[in-house]
Amino acid sequence: MSLLVIGVPHIARQELRPEESGQLLCVPGGQPPLWKLMDSIGSAGLRQGEEALSHPEEGLPRPSDSSELAPKQLQGWEDHLTEKWRKIKYSPPPKANGDKGLAYGWTGWLTPIIPALWEAKVQECLQQFKVTRAQLQQIQASLLGSMEQALRGQASPAPAVRMLPTYVGSTPHGTEQGDFVVLELGATGASLRVLWVTLTGIEGHRVEPRSQEFVIPQAVMLGAGQQLFDFAAHCLSEFLDAQPMSKQGLQLGFSFSFPCHQTGLDRSTLISWTKGFRCSGVEGQDVVQLLRDAIQRHGAYNIDVVAVVNDTVGTMMGCELGARPCEVGLVVDTGTNACYMEEARHVAVLDEDRGRVCVSVEWGSFSDAGALGPVLTTFDHTLDHESLNPGAQRFEKMIGGLYLGELVRLVLAHLARRGVLFGGGTSPALLSRGSILLEHVAEMEDPSAGAARVHAILQDLGLSPGASDVELVQHVCAAVCTRAAQLCAAALAAVLSRLQHGREQQTLQVAVATGGRVCERHPRFCSILQGTVMLLAPECDVSFIPSVDGGGRGVAMVTAVAARLAAHRRLLEETLAPFRLNHDQLAAVQAQMRKAMVKGLRGEASSLRMLPTFVRATPDGSERGDFLALDLGGTNFRVLLVRVTTGVQITSQIYSIPESVAQGSGKQLFDHIVDCIMDFQQKQGLSGQSLPLGFTFSFPCRQLGLDQGILLNWTKGFNASDCEGQDVVNLLREAITRRQAVELNVVAIVNDTVGTMMSCGYEDPRCEIGLIVGTGTNACYMEELRNVAGVPGDSGRMCINMEWGAFGDDGSLAMLSTCFDASVDQASINPGKQRFEKMISGMYLGEIVRHILLHLTSLGVLFRGQQTQRLQTRDIFKTKFLSEIESDSLALRQVRAILEDLGLPLTSDDALMVLEVCQAVSQRAAQLCGAGVAAVVEKIRENRGLEKLAVSVGVDGTLYKLHPHFSSLVAATVQELAPRCVVTFLQSEDGSGKGAALVTAVACRLAQLTRV
């Protein structure tokens, strides 16, 4: 048995065997302790025994200093003195000339022994309260396991703790302001408190709250539930009557500090009463509604109950803002509990995958027998048996302030009955439940209070303490409170471990807000708590911050945060509303595009050019040969060798196009392209060979033939001079002639969209539509030749390059354009052009998001209203960030990391709102794209007079391929707007390269057939 003597200067830490500790202060044969025998003998007996003690037996150990007494020596003295007391009791009366020296010899031996025996007996009793590190770790692990089981919603076996979502989804960020009323019930036992709290929203500027406390009569605590809530409404009105401020439109936060099941921020069902309350008709009822009903019955004020808040949540929310986020609340008061900000995706009952929510652990009910059993004492069992709720709240009964005083009382009463304290005497007060309160324990344990204060408290209990009793009582208080702090630390370490694991962080840095009278009035409790947490959770860097009136200001802060979030939510919804397109709006876009397609095909004025590509067929699988392909559509330029046999083999190399070349002269641009081709041919051993070449040119062109294309205008940042209005194939051939060292047979100029269709058409003969959604956007499809006014012939089909990026340039999309679209358009290199593309493509979506974020920041919705220079920078918010932020696989902390890399100091609320902005912008883009595809497939179906059409769409582009939801949103929109078409989307593999070669191969096949 390991014995730790707390605060006793003259008994060091010793290791006693069980038989030694058991016999330390008890005489053999079950006789009463030594001082009981002394009391029964009295002073007369002592005088009678003087002669018998005049010749002590030889060989008896005679210690010179009681501080040196070892266990065996104590046992030897006790055995010897027991025998002597037996002789004293039955010895004859002493002679008249009693020898004072003999009496002094007896007391001289006895005096140093008895205090040491008393202290050892106390320590033997208090040994039950010692908790080992291994036991604390077992409690930590057991509680953590129960927490995770409850979070998963696993009902069997029943978890040992409840994990109750509080629907508080945000912590304060310092801008909250306004006047709020708080009603606090259950935080301080048998009292109710009403507060008027003013939040200024200014850092460092606080207005002290007005408050009034009302004592709840015992009859109300144990009576009908309606009586309790009517009492609360009466107290609320009485308090408000005395306030000079305006009382119109009051918002109230309800602090209800009992185990509840919340189903919303203002909906909470009482699970069970604790802390001495037993009101009937409340358990299983919504306490917010009961309060609202009582306020309405009273009829004095119009009060909106915004939130119901656990006192633990209020403690966390009332924490002053610091360098670290305060995301854990700890209360040790009448009862004990903790809460923390959990990732919402881990709370099964919420069915949410984004954001965080405050979860109340309700650890007072933790009852794992395997973990708690070894640390439960006989006093814990007695306390539980005599409580109002035997068998419940076992963990709380070892920690909570309502029970610490009672535990101390039980121990003192036990030691008094054993004769160890107060001379073996008790008092009615000491034997009465509830006579020793938390305040008494705090004062008696406090070394600075002095012996006089301890003595006075014990006297008030009707006791007559001796000098040694004071010190021993302090040891009892210290042992009970030390165990409570250690158990609390083990539970808190479990919460911190859960927080760390849930966020997948190597090291957790977090602030813990502490509240409750035990934390506030017991500095030693807090120091033991903090030290033990460091021991049990070394990977967590924790700072402890006393909460500023968690039940008052904290609850007001929850209410204020809820009001702020509601206001911000309204502003966010108003801002994003134009991006949320309904069915009618999308159907209107589809209809507008159909009209523009028909006009363009007829050669009439239209925002859709509907350009013939002179590609008359898709691959049929019989194409064979080696082909070169050029791919120019952005800042990188590719040269490819495509070998078509029974499959397609591709060899390629990427060359960069410097900005000076892209925006220089046309001659310089095309000379650079030919130089790249020559380099590629040399590396591939193709020098001197004349292979058919397909030229993917991903800019708006009007084709006059398969190998003739007039550049209409540059896009995507290109602006080479002397090219617009020119045949780009001819510009390429002229550059080839200038170089003379290369022979090339340019067969076809191909738009990248057409190449995408042809690439997928090689795999699926039903593929008759091409779609690009990347840096830019475009579509093509196989139109009936009879509908193409600019090309002679009525039979067969021809691929039409829609150049749909310019759709809406005639104003037909004005009803969908937002102020953010207008800002992006005005800042572009081609204002007023490519309006459809600027609402869809990857080159612009990031900029739209950036302008929305700037607007929301100016409204104070984001980033605490603080503008950052980085966010003012054009193109800082890349479209790839939308794909990353909206990824289902990314936790919210990773979303925050992306944004923090941009220099945006944000909270979890900010991250969620940025996510919503990205979702709204990308969803609109996908839906508009889907409306366009729906217009195309319906046109094909009607062209062919089909009731049902099965068709495939070949798709390319980084936005479509990399964005986690874009493709599914496009498909869903097409299905909604074109229900009679079964549309399959195929992702193209190298459409612009492989597709150009296949266009060339098909052209060669058709030319050969024509010759035959």
Side-chain angles (χ1 to χ4, degrees), residues 652-676:
S652 67
Q653 185 168 343
I654 297 175
Y655 298 89
S656 65
I657 298 181
E659 185 177 354
S660 60
V661 173
Q663 299 188 7
S665 68
K667 180 175 179 293
Q668 184 182 6
L669 174 62
F670 282 93
D671 283 349
H672 177 75
I673 292 171
V674 173
D675 288 341
C676 295

Side-chain angles (χ1 to χ4, degrees), residues 251-290:
Q251 293 182 308
L252 182 142
F254 184 20
S255 174
F256 191 73
S257 304
F258 302 93
C260 287
H261 174 61
Q262 277 193 255
T263 55
L265 190 61
D266 62 346
R267 297 188 303 275
S268 186
T269 302
L270 176 65
I271 295 174
S272 60
W273 285 113
T274 57
K275 307 174 186 179
F277 283 76
R278 299 294 293 173
C279 297
S280 62
V282 181
E283 293 181 350
Q285 300 298 311
D286 180 1
V287 295
V288 176
Q289 191 58 48
L290 293 175

Side-chain angles (χ1 to χ4, degrees), residues 449-465:
R453 182 58 189 145
V454 181
H455 199 276
I457 292 172
L458 295 174
Q459 282 187 322
D460 289 344
L461 293 172
L463 300 168
S464 301

Side-chain angles (χ1 to χ4, degrees), residues 179-351:
D179 295 320
F180 303 91
V181 180
V182 174
L183 176 63
E184 187 180 62
L185 177 61
T188 55
S191 66
L192 176 151
R193 192 165 65 129
V194 185
L195 303 95
W196 182 284
V197 181
T198 299
L199 301 175
T200 65
I202 303 172
E203 186 176 354
H205 180 60
R206 289 189 59 219
V207 177
E208 286 301 317
R210 294 181 171 89
S211 68
Q212 185 175 350
E213 191 161 348
F214 301 86
V215 175
I216 304 175
Q218 184 77 5
V220 174
M221 291 177 63
L222 302 176
Q226 182 172 323
Q227 185 181 5
L228 172 66
F229 285 94
D230 283 342
F231 176 80
H234 172 77
C235 295
L236 189 59
S237 295
E238 181 179 326
F239 171 80
L240 292 175
D241 287 342
Q243 303 308 311
M245 290 79 71
S246 171
K247 307 176 187 70
Q248 298 300 317
L250 295 174
Q251 293 182 308
L252 182 142
F254 184 20
S255 174
F256 191 73
S257 304
F258 302 93
C260 287
H261 174 61
Q262 277 193 255
T263 55
L265 190 61
D266 62 346
R267 297 188 303 275
S268 186
T269 302
L270 176 65
I271 295 174
S272 60
W273 285 113
T274 57
K275 307 174 186 179
F277 283 76
R278 299 294 293 173
C279 297
S280 62
V282 181
E283 293 181 350
Q285 300 298 311
D286 180 1
V287 295
V288 176
Q289 191 58 48
L290 293 175
L291 177 61
R292 284 172 173 155
D293 293 343
I295 292 172
Q296 189 172 8
R297 281 194 299 272
H298 202 271
Y301 292 98
N302 180 21
I303 299 173
D304 179 19
V305 183
V306 175
V308 59
V309 185
N310 183 286
D311 59 337
T312 319
V313 180
T315 295
M316 181 186 76
M317 298 292 280
C319 181
E320 291 285 2
L321 290 175
R324 297 179 180 179
C326 184
E327 297 184 294
V328 181
L330 169 66
V331 168
V332 190
D333 197 280
T334 309
T336 181
N337 194 21
C339 68
Y340 72 102
M341 297 301 292
E342 176 62 83
E343 301 297 312
R345 68 182 186 278
H346 295 148
V347 185
V349 69
L350 293 181
D351 195 26

Side-chain angles (χ1 to χ4, degrees), residues 434-600:
S435 59
I436 297 181
L437 304 176
L438 172 64
E439 290 74 14
H440 298 144
V441 176
E443 288 189 69
M444 290 190 293
E445 187 188 357
D446 186 2
S448 64
R453 182 58 189 145
V454 181
H455 199 276
I457 292 172
L458 295 174
Q459 282 187 322
D460 289 344
L461 293 172
L463 300 168
S464 301
S468 60
D469 291 331
V470 170
E471 185 178 359
L472 295 176
V473 169
Q474 287 180 315
H475 298 338
V476 172
C477 293
V480 171
C481 292
T482 295
R483 184 190 69 163
Q486 291 174 328
L487 294 176
C488 186
L492 181 57
V495 171
L496 294 171
S497 296
R498 172 64 219 154
L499 199 57
Q500 180 196 12
H501 297 158
R503 299 185 183 177
E504 302 172 8
Q505 295 179 347
Q506 292 293 325
T507 302
L508 176 70
Q509 290 188 329
V510 70
V512 175
T514 60
R517 288 173 297 169
V518 175
C519 290
E520 292 165 3
R521 302 179 186 181
H522 284 248
R524 185 172 170 276
F525 182 96
C526 291
S527 63
I528 294 172
L529 171 73
Q530 295 177 25
T532 310
V533 167
M534 290 176 60
L535 185 70
L536 297 176
E539 67 284 355
C540 299
D541 185 4
V542 186
S543 57
F544 290 83
I545 303 175
S547 179
V548 182
D549 189 14
R553 185 174 182 273
V555 175
M557 190 63 75
V558 173
T559 310
V561 167
R564 168 175 62 81
L565 291 178
H568 287 180
R569 169 57 53 184
R570 286 193 297 272
L571 291 171
L572 181 67
E573 289 299 328
E574 289 172 7
T575 301
L576 298 182
F579 291 88
R580 306 193 193 282
L581 306 182
N582 57 37
H583 176 86
D584 291 343
Q585 289 173 305
L586 293 171
V589 172
Q590 179 187 16
Q592 289 276 8
M593 184 167 282
R594 282 291 304 275
K595 291 179 182 178
M597 290 171 69
V598 172
K599 286 183 177 181

Side-chain angles (χ1 to χ4, degrees), residues 781-794:
Y781 71 104
M782 298 301 293
E783 177 61 83
E784 302 302 313
L785 190 58
R786 67 178 182 272
N787 295 330
V788 184
V791 179
D794 291 328

